[in-house]
């Protein structure tokens, strides 16, 4: 059986990065429901992320999205974050919200638009230089709605050219996280639709290019833990964008739709000794909280990842290997299910107490008065949102 002390230590050392846009208003194409107290600028988003970190102790980094989090002085923003007790994490690029990008960004048939898009990627690296961020997260909405609309192979060439120029600009400690997505906004063909395409481009680029798995970006029924296992074996798994889905890219709280899938993913991570932050995988959230209170939802999401991780850490690996090697199908499955069916909440409560935290982060947040304070203070101005 795994040693309890080692399990607790791994849980204490775990790091989860939260997204600046998760604190802003969001919705569907039908309606965005504004919430009181929502941040109006990047500084207020950082303050909310810092609150999540204060109550969970494992979320000290915040991903930014440019231009949603554009400021004049990124070094100053970084210092502001440090004063709050957090750090700026991945820099997300945005080449999908400008009229020029109607037919694509780096894959656009117009070389002038491809130049503009690539320049944005390079600008994001300059921001990383100023903030000390390691990760450049690239997601391209590029694709086609109709057969024949553009040249599928030619678009891959254009993509490779832009990625190569971006890769060459990376510093020694910086890397690319290339994200794929099955569909949306393009409906017929997407230029980076799956992990295989992302992986092939990363291989062409070099060791500083890795794949990011957004758990909401697959066809229903996809075995995501297989993708995790494959990329781990190739040392090309750079990060996760955690969220959960019932239908498409729902961006709901991770672990809400399918906690068993999250456990199976974390089981592959733990099995490969890839949980330790030193291994280099960035465990990020990429979520939108459209109808639920945002800060408690982010805290809940962090806790959901912790619970799946704790269960994965409890898998009796020796017993599992023995059963696997003996061809004991039911025995091996039972070892895994025993861990999954363990109630790890008391263990996590202990971990939090050891860290000097309240064992119940959501209740502690509600008691803290933070929500009442931001609702009273953040009046006037324009609330931030997904896309602004
Ligand atoms: C695209 O759906 C995506 O997953 C990318 O990571 C974007 O940057 C993010 O969502 C924006 O919410
Ligand atoms: Mn994502």
């Amino acid at each position: 059986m795994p040693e309890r002390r080692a399990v607790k230590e791994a849980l204490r050392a775990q790091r989860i990065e939260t997204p600046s846009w998760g604190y802003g208003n969001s919705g569907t194409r039908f309606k965005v429901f504004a919430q009181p107290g929502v941040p109006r600028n990047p500084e207020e988003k950082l303050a909310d992320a810092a609150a999540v970190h204060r109550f969970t102790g494992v979320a000290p980094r915040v991903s930014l999205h440019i231009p949603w989090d554009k400021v004049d002085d990124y070094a100053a923003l970084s210092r502001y974050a440090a004063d709050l007790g957090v750090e700026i994490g991945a820099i997300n690029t945005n080449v999908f919200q400008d009229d020029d990008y109607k037919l694509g960004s780096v894959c656009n048939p117009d070389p002038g638009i491809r130049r503009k898009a690539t320049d944005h990627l390079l600008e994001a690296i300059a921001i990383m230089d100023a903030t000390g961020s390691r990760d450049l997260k690239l997601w391209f909405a590029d694709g086609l709605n109709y057969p024949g609309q553009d040249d599928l192979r030619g678009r891959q060439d254009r993509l490779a050219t832009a990625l190569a120029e971006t890769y060459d600009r990376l510093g020694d400690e910086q890397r690319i996280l290339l994200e794929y997505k099955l569909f949306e906004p393009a409906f017929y063909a997407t230029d980076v639709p799956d992990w295989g395409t992302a992986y092939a481009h990363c291989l062409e680029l070099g060791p500083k290019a890795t794949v990011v798995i957004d758990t909401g970006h697959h066809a229903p029924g996809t075995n995501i833990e297989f993708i995790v296992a494959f990329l781990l074996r190739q040392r090309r798994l750079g990060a996760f964008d955690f969220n959960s889905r019932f239908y498409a890219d729902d961006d709901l709280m991770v672990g809400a739709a399918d906690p068993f899938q999250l456990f199976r993913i974390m089981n592959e991570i733990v099995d490969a000794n890839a949980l330790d932050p030193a291994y280099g995988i960035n465990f990020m959230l990429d979520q939108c909280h459209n109808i639920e209170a945002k800060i408690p939802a982010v805290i809940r999401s962090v806790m959901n990842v912790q619970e799946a991780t704790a269960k994965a850490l409890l898998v009796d690996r020796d017993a599992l290997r023995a059963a696997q090697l003996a061809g004991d199908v039911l025995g091996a499955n039972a070892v895994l299910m025993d861990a999954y069916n363990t109630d790890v909440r008391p263990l996590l409560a202990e971990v939090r107490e050891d860290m000097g935290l309240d064992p119940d982060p959501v209740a502690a947040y509600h008691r803290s008065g933070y929500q009442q304070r931001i609702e009273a203070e953040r009046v006037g101005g324009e609330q931030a949102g997904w896309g602004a």
Side-chain angles (χ1 to χ4, degrees):
M1 281 302 286
E3 206 199 322
R4 195 176 167 84
R5 196 187 46 81
V7 169
K8 286 173 72 175
E9 215 166 278
L11 290 168
R12 258 201 309 276
Q14 181 170 31
R15 293 291 172 263
I16 296 157
E17 182 165 317
T18 74
S20 68
W21 55 98
Y23 301 100
N25 283 326
S26 59
T28 64
R29 64 202 164 96
F30 299 102
K31 172 71 180 164
V32 173
F33 297 101
Q35 293 189 19
V38 155
R40 294 158 302 172
N41 51 47
E43 288 81 0
E44 290 179 351
K45 293 180 198 174
L46 290 173
D48 289 359
V52 170
H53 181 47
R54 272 199 304 283
F55 293 102
T56 61
V58 295
R61 280 196 320 268
V62 194
S63 319
L64 298 188
H65 216 295
I66 308 298
W68 302 342
D69 296 314
K70 213 174 172 70
V71 292
D72 290 335
D73 185 343
Y74 289 96
L77 189 68
S78 206
R79 287 193 295 275
Y80 188 83
D83 288 345
L84 290 166
V86 290
E87 268 175 51
I88 291 173
I91 302 298
N92 286 252
T93 50
N94 185 325
V95 283
F96 51 90
Q97 283 188 307
D98 190 292
D99 284 341
D100 277 343
Y101 299 139
K102 186 167 78 173
L103 301 181
S105 63
V106 293
C107 302
N108 196 297
D110 179 337
I113 293 174
R114 296 205 294 276
R115 184 68 261 150
K116 170 175 165 171
T118 309
D119 283 344
H120 172 70
L121 310 186
L122 302 178
E123 175 202 357
I125 301 177
I127 294 171
M128 292 164 69
D129 293 339
T131 55
S133 304
R134 174 189 55 170
D135 293 335
L136 175 69
K137 197 172 112 205
L138 304 178
W139 174 66
F140 301 106
D142 292 48
L144 309 176
N145 270 4
Y146 294 99
Q149 183 191 322
D150 197 5
D151 168 4
L152 288 174
R153 235 169 350 108
R155 290 176 73 92
Q156 287 298 310
D157 292 340
R158 297 171 200 153
L159 172 66
T161 302
L163 286 174
E165 186 178 341
T166 308
Y167 187 89
D168 288 345
R169 166 67 179 79
L170 290 175
D172 290 344
E173 303 304 321
Q174 295 171 338
R175 59 182 191 165
I176 283 177
L177 305 175
L178 182 56
E179 182 170 359
Y180 59 90
K181 180 172 176 173
L182 177 63
F183 83 102
E184 197 203 20
F187 295 118
Y188 157 60
T190 296
D191 293 308
V192 190
D194 52 29
W195 69 269
T197 308
Y199 173 65
H201 279 284
C202 287
L203 280 187
E204 235 174 279
L205 290 170
K208 290 189 287 184
T210 60
V211 180
V212 48
I213 299 178
D214 184 312
T215 46
H217 288 186
H218 308 85
T222 299
N223 181 338
I224 298 178
E225 62 271 25
F226 171 80
I227 303 170
V228 173
F230 184 93
L231 293 175
L232 280 169
R233 186 167 174 272
Q234 303 297 330
R235 285 272 174 172
R236 291 287 176 157
L237 178 55
F240 286 95
D241 263 2
F242 278 135
N243 52 65
S244 66
R245 71 189 290 274
F246 288 97
Y247 297 100
D249 187 18
D250 304 349
D251 278 342
L252 299 174
M253 293 189 297
V254 59
D258 190 348
F260 185 42
Q261 179 188 64
L262 183 58
F263 162 75
R264 298 192 311 261
I265 290 171
M266 292 315 296
N267 177 52
E268 292 303 324
I269 294 290
V270 169
D271 193 56
N273 288 318
L275 182 63
D276 189 331
Y279 188 96
I281 295 177
N282 190 353
F283 299 89
M284 305 182 287
L285 305 180
D286 176 9
Q287 306 184 156
C288 294
H289 306 293
N290 301 348
I291 57 166
E292 66 275 31
K294 294 166 196 303
I295 298 172
V298 180
I299 294 175
R300 179 78 251 170
S301 307
V302 168
M303 293 169 69
N304 287 352
V305 176
Q306 288 182 298
E307 286 173 20
T309 307
K311 292 176 183 207
L313 286 163
L314 288 176
V315 171
D316 186 338
R317 307 252 155 226
D318 294 337
L320 183 64
R321 293 283 177 256
Q324 288 172 345
L325 292 175
D328 181 358
V329 176
L330 291 178
N333 179 243
V335 172
L336 212 65
M337 295 313 292
D338 274 348
Y340 177 65
N341 287 318
T342 308
D343 183 358
V344 293
R345 291 171 299 180
L347 172 68
L348 281 160
E350 248 179 64
V351 169
R352 293 185 187 111
E353 276 172 336
D354 292 349
M355 294 167 78
L357 299 169
D358 192 293
D360 183 344
V362 173
Y365 174 75
H366 287 309
R367 275 199 316 270
S368 71
Y370 184 85
Q371 187 68 37
Q372 290 79 346
R373 187 153 58 77
I374 58 175
E375 288 184 18
E377 283 174 9
R378 296 177 184 171
V379 282
E382 200 169 326
Q383 294 189 321
W386 192 105

